[in-house]
Amino acid sequence: MDLASGADRGTTERVLTLLGLLQQRQVWTGPELAERLGVTPRTVRRDVERLRTLGYLVHAGQGVGGGYQLGPGQDLPPLLLDDEEAIATAVSLLVGAGGAVASAGDAALRALTKLDRVLPTRLRHEVRALSGSVESFGGGRTPVDSEVLMTLARACRDEVEAGFDYPSGSEVRRRRIEPYRLVASDRRWYLFAFDLDRDDWRSFRVDRMTDVSVRTWHFRPRAAPDAATYVQESVASRVYPHQARFLVHASADTVRAQIPASAAVVRRRGAELCEVLSGAGSLDFVLMHVLLLGHDFEVLDPPELGGRCRALAERLLSAGAAISPAPDPDES
């Protein structure tokens, strides 16, 4: 068979899309899948049978609360991985998810949640045992429990409510949330979620969570802000008592190379301009950090920071006035 017909290609793409949907969430109803795929429920049933023929274990529940669910099978589906390859892949992904490279950690966790969906039960125990024997060293992210990461990743994927204990001031309180995304910075893992008790979006440090648990209650996804942008702005500015914005006369790429993503948000304002948003315990501290970048800049916000600039300039001029200027070598 040289080339698949157009109809065959359409069916193949649809079945692969169906497989992807089943990997994203715990349970889908037939009408939900039909709407996502743009087909009839009868076509969905046929495509499910095609997946089963290929070796994927797809459960079908009846009645209220029933639906299609992709489950672990006795053998790995035709991803063409044997047991040893599957274990090695899962352990590598676990290490990558908690490793020092942020971009690799994101991709590793996403891949691990997909592999976890179809990993046979007998292999999960081996993966857990082996992952506990692997460590890493060097700079990088604050270590977190891989089981907690996986629990939260599954909750995001399956769109189910979760809860955990979290420090707030001098107390530790129970938080009830709708989890949306796990976000990795250069230093830590964060959960972007909707806080049900505070009725607002929040970001949480995963390493501060304890007693993490998930419910079977599904939530309908809300219109959400961009997770990575929200978490970065929270980490870089919103958690501090003072925030400031600057217009820096340098390209965004240049300034991003000078400031860690967890310390400031850098927004492009043209080829040779960018906006820097940062926060700290005092406005003087933020001002000094921007000054030390070595670029011309302007204060955008808050207005009182202009006065701090003038006070700092006078202080520096006064400090420099006490030092005699170095002799000009050309005049000797």
Side-chain angles (χ1 to χ4, degrees), residues 87-143:
I87 292 173
T89 300
V91 171
S92 298
L93 291 172
L94 276 169
V95 175
V101 183
S103 59
D106 287 343
L109 188 60
R110 289 197 304 269
L112 186 57
T113 59
K114 292 179 180 179
L115 183 61
D116 172 74
R117 170 65 74 191
V118 294
L119 198 64
T121 303
R122 69 177 187 281
L123 299 185
R124 289 179 178 170
H125 300 296
E126 296 186 48
V127 168
R128 187 173 292 109
L130 285 173
S131 64
S133 303
V134 180
E135 296 184 6
S136 59
F137 65 91
R141 218 172 280 138
T142 302

Side-chain angles (χ1 to χ4, degrees), residues 244-246 283-284 286-287 299 301-310:
R245 290 191 306 124
F246 304 88
L283 289 176
D284 285 350
V286 182
L287 185 59
V299 174
D301 195 58
E304 60 266 29
L305 192 53
R308 300 308 305 162
C309 286
R310 290 186 288 272

